[in-house]
Amino acid sequence: MKNFEHIKYTYKHRKIVMRLAEKYFKDNNEVLEQVKSHDIDKLYLYLFYEKKTVSRIHREQSSHHENELEKTYLDYVEMVLDWESARYTKPDKPLNAYDTLVKFYPGMTDVILPILQEMKIDKPGLPMDQDILKLAEELDTVSEEDIIKELKDNIDLMTSKEKPKTYKK
């Protein structure tokens, strides 16, 4: 499989984002629904393109990244979950979501800090959640068969990405 290591990483990252959403937003079906499609495009793009191209396309087209796209509250929540997941999946990115905000996106504090407060992760240097860390370690053994199943099970997410019609805060 082309780009298997990148696909494997993205698979793991998606699972961690979803677990974080379940932890912090277990009663918010809108958030849980939104993160089902988190980075799903990358799984498919990696089948055809190299990492640099996939990253560029994804960052330009995904509303949970800092770009020119209009954003909803759910997009910002997904952004926070994305930042928080990095320390579980990227050894070179040990910052939690709060520290990421402060270091890289201080101009977004007005919109992001209330989400961090809602999640009760609005402090620097918070310890990692051991259950999520354990899941991340378990996901290191994902197989090509697991990836193929993920691709087959989620093809519908690539064709039906409708934005929420309301901004809920």
Side-chain angles (χ1 to χ4, degrees):
M1 179 181 291
K2 180 180 175 111
N3 292 317
F4 178 70
E5 288 305 312
H6 297 304
I7 292 171
K8 180 179 171 181
Y9 166 77
T10 302
Y11 174 93
K12 177 180 178 179
H13 171 70
R14 281 177 38 77
K15 298 297 184 190
I16 297 299
V17 167
M18 287 187 260
R19 181 63 61 88
L20 287 166
E22 291 165 3
K23 175 182 178 175
Y24 293 108
F25 296 96
K26 66 180 177 206
D27 297 324
N28 187 327
N29 289 334
E30 289 178 305
V31 170
L32 298 175
E33 196 61 34
Q34 170 109 357
V35 299
K36 281 183 184 177
S37 63
H38 181 80
D39 288 2
I40 193 72
D41 59 322
K42 291 173 77 174
L43 291 179
Y44 294 95
L45 289 169
Y46 279 131
L47 296 173
F48 304 100
Y49 302 105
E50 295 307 319
K51 182 179 184 348
K52 188 174 181 179
T53 302
V54 171
S55 294
R56 180 185 53 76
I57 292 169
H58 173 72
R59 290 180 87 48
E60 289 173 358
Q61 300 294 320
S62 299
S63 55
H64 69 272
H65 283 288
E66 185 183 42
N67 54 31
E68 299 301 314
L69 298 176
E70 187 176 328
K71 303 200 182 331
T72 67
Y73 168 74
L74 295 175
D75 295 325
Y76 287 116
V77 167
E78 186 176 358
M79 185 181 291
V80 167
L81 293 168
D82 198 23
W83 295 349
E84 184 65 16
S85 73
R87 65 190 183 141
Y88 295 97
T89 58
K90 299 177 183 180
D92 62 322
K93 296 186 179 178
L95 301 179
N96 67 8
Y98 177 85
D99 293 327
T100 300
L101 171 66
V102 170
K103 184 171 182 176
F104 297 109
Y105 305 101
M108 298 177 74
T109 300
D110 289 350
V111 69
I112 298 294
L113 190 56
I115 296 168
L116 294 172
Q117 290 167 335
E118 178 183 353
M119 296 169 70
K120 297 181 178 34
I121 59 169
D122 56 325
K123 294 169 185 54
L126 292 172
M128 294 174 88
D129 179 295
Q130 292 304 304
D131 290 336
I132 294 173
L133 191 56
K134 183 178 179 212
L135 173 63
E137 290 168 1
E138 291 169 1
L139 289 168
D140 284 337
T141 61
V142 67
S143 68
E144 193 166 314
E145 290 76 25
D146 295 326
I147 301 295
I148 291 168
K149 182 177 181 340
E150 182 84 353
L151 290 167
K152 286 179 179 178
D153 290 350
N154 290 292
I155 189 71
D156 60 314
L157 294 175
M158 287 298 297
T159 58
S160 63
K161 194 161 183 184
E162 219 176 283
K163 298 284 287 177
K165 295 178 178 37
T166 58
Y167 181 91
K168 285 190 174 180
K169 195 169 185 182

